[in-house]
Amino acid sequence: MSNISYKDAGVDIDAGNEFVEAIKADVKSTFDKNVIGGIGSFAGAYALPSGYKEPVILSATDGVGTKLKIAIESGKLDTVGIDLVAMCVNDLICNNGVPMFFLDYYATGKLLPQNAKDVVSGIAEGCRRSECALVGGETAEMPGMYSDDDFDLAGFAVGIAERSEMDTVANVKEGQVLIAMPSSGVHSNGYSLVRKLFFDKLGMSLETEFEGKLLLETLLEPTRIYVKEYKANKQYIKALAHITGGGIVENLPRVLPEGMRAVVNKDAIRVLPIFEFMGQYVDEEEMYRAFNMGVGMVWVVEPEDVDAVLANTDGYVIGVLAAGEKGVELV
């Protein structure tokens, strides 16, 4: 019986090495002065930024979900990495955490260096948009666990916050104003329902034209990253909620104290065309629980600060806070 190799078992070490070489420039482009060392060590090292009285380290992890299926089926893999970063860093800032560094985990049935490079290129772009260093990652080739074309992604973001600024719920008061930060599209939630509706129920394809462009482009529009807007307006923001799975109705209450109700004017929400279309086939209540409806974040600000925020962002007012049972009231 002849000897067998790791490659015979479906794992190509040479392809892995080729991939690492191919991504070095992209990864280095995300480095800032706090990154210690380069690429290839056993762990990423990052110096704590100075200027904090009581620094607290925050972490967030997430994936991209079944949006990956659309990327895989289309072969367009350069944007899902942005989604991966966005889902993590947008959570960090909700606790007043400034993103410092990011790591990724890429698992696939067969490592195709160009495909993997496209994915990591997107991750690096997401890190640049969020001013966050990509200090490490892991690529796992697992034949038998995934089919050759399939892969999955997980991301891990670490940030830093001032301990005294972390409890945003304590800042929330009656009469404060709710400002919507527009989403760029479906973001990275609800894609099982999206795929069920467009492809199974309506028989559409990724090449179908939708709103003047391919449906593929609309569905793969990457999740918007709000880190820079947050940094520029932090002085005005009392609390903020990342609108992901569960929509406005389930995410906004996470920043409300007991006895505080968010009154949201549905007519004020600038619902995106993709959601208007899906709303013809999905109950309104389900739409607001599954999707962001065009609102990627909600910021809570004092009435006197509204004009300053609106002048400095593309946000708009969608409601107010009032006394009442904790929750969201859509009116």
Side-chain angles (χ1 to χ4, degrees):
M1 182 181 295
S2 61
N3 293 340
I4 64 171
S5 68
Y6 211 177
K7 191 171 184 177
D8 293 328
V11 178
D12 190 340
I13 296 174
D14 291 332
N17 292 334
E18 177 187 339
F19 162 63
V20 171
E21 286 300 315
I23 65 172
K24 281 186 175 180
D26 243 346
V27 172
K28 286 183 178 179
S29 73
T30 71
F31 285 6
D32 60 26
K33 64 181 182 181
N34 295 312
V35 176
I36 301 171
I39 302 168
S41 189
F42 289 94
Y46 193 92
L48 285 180
S50 60
Y52 289 83
K53 296 177 181 177
E54 289 186 280
V56 176
I57 303 301
L58 292 80
S59 60
T61 184
D62 211 332
V64 181
T66 56
K67 188 174 188 174
L68 284 178
K69 291 291 290 183
I70 296 173
I72 293 167
E73 289 166 7
S74 68
K76 181 173 171 52
L77 305 175
D78 59 341
T79 60
V80 287
I82 300 173
D83 289 293
L84 184 68
V85 177
M87 296 303 289
C88 297
V89 298
N90 285 344
D91 278 354
L92 282 184
I93 61 177
C94 289
N95 288 102
N96 276 325
V98 175
M100 295 188 297
F101 60 87
F102 190 85
L103 299 98
D104 69 273
Y105 178 76
Y106 176 97
T108 185
K110 180 176 178 57
L111 182 62
L112 302 174
Q114 184 57 53
N115 287 359
K117 182 181 183 300
D118 287 346
V119 172
V120 174
S121 177
I123 293 172
E125 174 60 23
C127 286
R128 289 189 291 268
R129 293 184 185 186
S130 55
E131 299 177 330
C132 180
L134 179 56
V135 299
E138 175 68 14
T139 304
E141 192 172 19
M142 297 191 286
M145 182 70 74
Y146 298 91
S147 68
D148 282 356
D149 292 336
D150 275 344
F151 67 89
D152 199 6
L153 292 175
F156 313 89
V158 175
I160 187 169
E162 193 70 74
R163 188 184 188 97
S164 61
E165 297 177 353
M166 288 184 59
D167 185 10
T168 59
V169 174
N171 299 329
V172 176
K173 306 275 192 304
E174 182 179 358
Q176 290 172 336
V177 178
L178 303 172
I179 294 180
M181 297 299 293
S183 68
S184 56
V186 185
H187 282 187
S188 298
N189 296 102
Y191 273 83
S192 294
L193 177 53
V194 167
R195 291 168 53 247
K196 182 75 173 178
L197 172 61
F198 281 100
F199 308 136
D200 295 348
K201 181 178 176 66
L202 300 179
M204 298 169 72
S205 76
L206 294 174
E207 310 306 314
T208 301
E209 184 176 319
F210 181 81
E211 292 290 316
K213 57 184 181 180
L214 296 182
L215 180 60
L216 165 67
E217 296 178 58
T218 298
L219 296 184
L220 285 186
E221 182 69 34
T223 304
R224 180 173 172 180
I225 292 172
Y226 300 93
V227 173
K228 291 181 181 178
E229 289 89 346
Y230 159 76
K231 288 180 177 179
N233 294 277
K234 181 182 176 182
Q235 61 182 314
Y236 304 120
I237 303 170
K238 297 302 179 183
L240 59 169
H242 185 197
I243 309 305
T244 56
I248 297 172
V249 293
E250 293 189 8
N251 284 287
L252 189 49
R254 296 166 69 178
V255 302
L256 302 179
E258 293 298 328
M260 193 64 58
R261 192 161 191 78
V263 182
V264 175
N265 180 1
K266 280 194 298 185
D267 291 337
I269 296 175
R270 299 172 186 172
V271 179
L272 296 177
I274 186 73
F275 298 124
E276 291 179 340
F277 179 84
M278 287 191 288
Q280 300 175 62
Y281 306 95
V282 180
D283 291 342
E284 182 180 74
E285 182 180 357
E286 184 77 356
M287 288 293 296
Y288 274 91
R289 288 189 63 208
F291 302 110
N292 66 64
M293 299 302 287
V295 179
M297 273 202 157
V298 176
W299 293 0
V300 179
V301 305
E302 297 288 2
E304 61 267 26
D305 293 328
V306 169
D307 288 344
V309 172
L310 297 186
N312 199 33
T313 68
D314 59 351
Y316 59 95
V317 174
I318 59 168
V320 296
L321 294 180
E325 183 181 355
K326 179 179 176 179
V328 173
E329 181 181 359
L330 297 172
V331 297

